[in-house]
């Protein structure tokens, strides 16, 4: 748990040097998929009687990039696969690999979280420093990633941003899961990315908060009692009765699934929810903050 723009640089021979994503060496399944895709590309290139440099020129990318992709050291972008398919006459057999690549192009921890969210019938989240990822606009999320230290490269920013936005498909699921979010008042007022970015983020909260399966609640800063002082809480429940949860202030921050441990997280979350503004009051509060921004 917690947990595409194209950025290119031109190399000396006119090819785009960075049209893919780095491979995470600790992601064994991802490494295997990328290596298999690379072998397929190399086989089709050789069957077409082309050298790596010739293929690079034909598809508009550098020779070094072709070698990296074929060697499983670089995750190719969809347009790269489309061009190779066309030039090598693969008849769609390379282009179809986009489905396999799409499954591993995001960091493993994000894929794992997205799989859990895709199964969940209930999601409950308390956030205290920033708007939760499922609620973020692209501009807001990009700003957070660009502020990260040590810094992400521009390519890494694009990759993690795309991964975060892909998780928001949860709002289009049918049947719709029950989603509950509690946000600290400060997260609504901190101008992450500037005033216009914050305004669009507040508008997004109002839009999502009006969905029938979504509750957004605000924890006012003025509350004297607050059960969430230990930090973020996340709880996901599944259709088979299983659940997983995590909290910064419990069980060393590790994900837990034991009923006794989950009850502690659910108790804390329930108390926070009772202490926060109601969903209707919260939407009115967000509208008020938007008017002040």
């Amino acid at each position: 748990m917690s947990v595409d723009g194209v950025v290119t640089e031109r190399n000396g021979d006119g090819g785009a040097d960075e049209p893919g994503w780095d491979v995470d060496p600790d992601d064994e399944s991802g490494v295997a998929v990328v290596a298999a895709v690379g072998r397929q590309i190399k086989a089709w290139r050789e069957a077409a009687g082309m050298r790596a440099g010739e293929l690079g020129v034909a598809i508009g990318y550098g020779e070094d990039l072709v070698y990296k992709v074929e060697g499983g050291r670089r995750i190719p972008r969809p347009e790269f696969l489309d061009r190779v398919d066309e030039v090598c006459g693969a008849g769609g057999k390379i282009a179809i690999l986009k489905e396999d690549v799409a499954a591993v192009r995001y960091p493993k921890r994000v894929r794992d979280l997205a799989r859990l969210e895709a199964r969940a019938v209930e999601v409950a989240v308390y956030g205290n420093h920033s708007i939760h990822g499922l609620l973020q606009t692209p501009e807001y999320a990009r700003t957070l990633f660009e502020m990260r230290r040590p810094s992400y490269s521009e390519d890494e920013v694009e990759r993690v941003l795309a991964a975060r936005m892909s998780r928001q498909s949860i709002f289009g699921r049918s049947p719709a899961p029950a989603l509950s979010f509690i946000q600290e008042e400060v997260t609504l007022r901190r101008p992450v990315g500037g005033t216009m970015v914050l305004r669009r983020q507040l508008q997004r909260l109002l839009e999502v908060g009006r969905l029938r399966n979504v509750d957004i609640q605000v924890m006012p800063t003025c509350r004297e009692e607050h059960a969430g002082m230990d930090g973020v809480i996340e709880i996901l429940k599944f259709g088979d009765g299983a659940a997983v949860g995590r909290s910064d202030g419990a069980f060393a921050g590790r994900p837990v699934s034991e009923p006794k441990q989950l009850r502690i997280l659910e108790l804390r979350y329930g108390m926070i929810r009772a202490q926060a503004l109601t969903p209707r009051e919260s939407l009115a509060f967000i509208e008020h903050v938007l008017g002040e921004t």
Side-chain angles (χ1 to χ4, degrees), residues 131-149:
I131 303 297
H132 189 267
L134 290 177
L135 300 172
Q136 292 173 8
T137 64
E139 298 86 356
Y140 185 98
R142 178 185 293 277
T143 300
L144 292 179
F145 289 134
E146 290 178 341
M147 290 191 301
R148 181 185 182 275
R149 295 296 182 272

Side-chain angles (χ1 to χ4, degrees), residues 117-118 120 123 134 166-174 176-177 179 213:
E117 290 172 343
V123 176
L134 290 177
S166 72
R167 288 170 49 208
Q168 297 186 5
S169 62
I170 192 172
F171 294 109
R173 276 179 46 196
S174 181
L179 306 174
N213 64 310

Side-chain angles (χ1 to χ4, degrees), residues 175-198:
L179 306 174
S180 170
F181 301 91
I182 305 173
Q183 291 288 155
E184 285 290 335
E185 176 183 343
V186 66
T187 66
L188 310 179
R189 297 187 180 277
R190 181 174 290 122
V192 172
T195 299
M196 292 310 299
V197 170
L198 177 59

Side-chain angles (χ1 to χ4, degrees), residues 108-157:
K108 184 178 185 298
R109 65 183 183 280
V110 178
R111 300 202 311 269
D112 292 343
L113 177 57
R115 277 195 288 268
L116 289 174
E117 290 172 343
R119 290 177 46 217
V121 295
E122 293 183 39
V123 176
V125 179
Y126 161 66
N128 58 357
H129 291 305
S130 62
I131 303 297
H132 189 267
L134 290 177
L135 300 172
Q136 292 173 8
T137 64
E139 298 86 356
Y140 185 98
R142 178 185 293 277
T143 300
L144 292 179
F145 289 134
E146 290 178 341
M147 290 191 301
R148 181 185 182 275
R149 295 296 182 272
S151 299
Y152 280 132
S153 68
E154 187 60 31
D155 191 61
E156 289 170 327
V157 169

Side-chain angles (χ1 to χ4, degrees), residues 31-49:
V31 168
V33 169
V34 176
V37 169
R39 288 193 295 269
Q40 286 291 315
I41 292 173
K42 182 178 181 180
W44 279 98
R45 171 178 64 78
E46 292 177 343

Side-chain angles (χ1 to χ4, degrees), residues 70-81:
E70 290 185 349
R73 301 189 305 278
R74 194 75 171 160
I75 304 173
R77 292 186 186 270
E79 60 272 17
F80 181 97
L81 296 173

